[in-house]
Amino acid sequence: MNASNVDALYQEIILDHYKNPHGAGLREPFEAEVHHVNPTCGDEITLRVHLEGEQVADVSYDAAGCSISQASASVLNDLVVGKAVGDALTTLDAFQELMQGRGQVEPDEDVLEDGIAFAGVAQFPARVKCALLSWMAWKDAVAQASAKEDS
């Protein structure tokens, strides 16, 4: 498969998640809810996280914005729900490394699954914040939920 075919496949994956988002819609129960806005483009997300012990039981969200930010939230849902919090944070680290790698990081498909489709986005710094919006919201929500659990 040549580079243009890979780019087309990745665009198809992003569009599929945009058109058929996984985990969209705010649900209960949840331990934390956060609202994040990308000030450069206006994309926004309200995200809830539900933890059961050390397990990510659910991530639900209501988001408005570009196809990249919407698809990223859908991929996030696929990649973290059902995982242990520590494993999900490792996945976040891998996605963040990919996004901040300016297209020079080779993504691990076993870890990032459909998240590898965002490899091309990493070459466009203005779009990186779009792709990371839901991930940063999720990280914030997990920190708040964990802090509540500890108190």
Side-chain angles (χ1 to χ4, degrees):
M1 190 176 284
N2 67 35
S4 66
N5 288 345
V6 171
D7 287 346
L9 174 64
Y10 286 179
Q11 288 173 1
E12 191 173 307
I13 290 170
I14 289 172
L15 285 174
D16 186 49
H17 276 278
Y18 173 64
K19 291 177 182 173
N20 306 295
H22 303 173
L26 295 172
R27 291 181 293 279
E28 295 189 18
F30 62 96
E31 286 73 43
E33 177 181 297
V34 299
H35 182 80
H36 282 214
V37 176
N38 180 348
T40 56
C41 66
D43 289 359
E44 57 185 285
I45 186 167
T46 300
L47 182 140
R48 292 177 176 173
V49 66
H50 174 49
L51 303 178
E52 290 180 356
E54 283 298 311
Q55 185 98 7
V56 181
D58 192 25
V59 174
S60 63
Y61 60 91
D62 183 33
C66 68
S67 59
I68 291 171
S69 69
Q70 304 285 297
S72 184
S74 176
V75 168
L76 163 79
N77 181 276
D78 286 355
L79 290 176
V80 302
V81 173
K83 284 189 175 174
V85 171
D87 293 341
L89 288 170
T90 300
T91 303
L92 162 68
D93 290 343
F95 189 78
Q96 199 167 5
E97 179 186 4
L98 175 65
M99 288 296 94
Q100 294 172 343
R102 299 181 182 258
Q104 303 301 310
V105 174
E106 186 66 34
D108 184 341
E109 188 171 0
D110 291 337
V111 174
L112 293 176
E113 300 176 15
D114 280 356
I116 64 169
F118 292 87
V121 174
Q123 298 172 31
F124 304 98
R127 306 313 301 264
V128 168
K129 287 183 179 179
C130 299
L132 286 173
L133 180 66
S134 58
W135 290 84
M136 295 301 102
W138 178 78
K139 183 179 179 181
D140 186 15
V142 166
Q144 289 183 27
S146 296
K148 277 185 188 175
E149 195 170 283
D150 292 343
S151 61

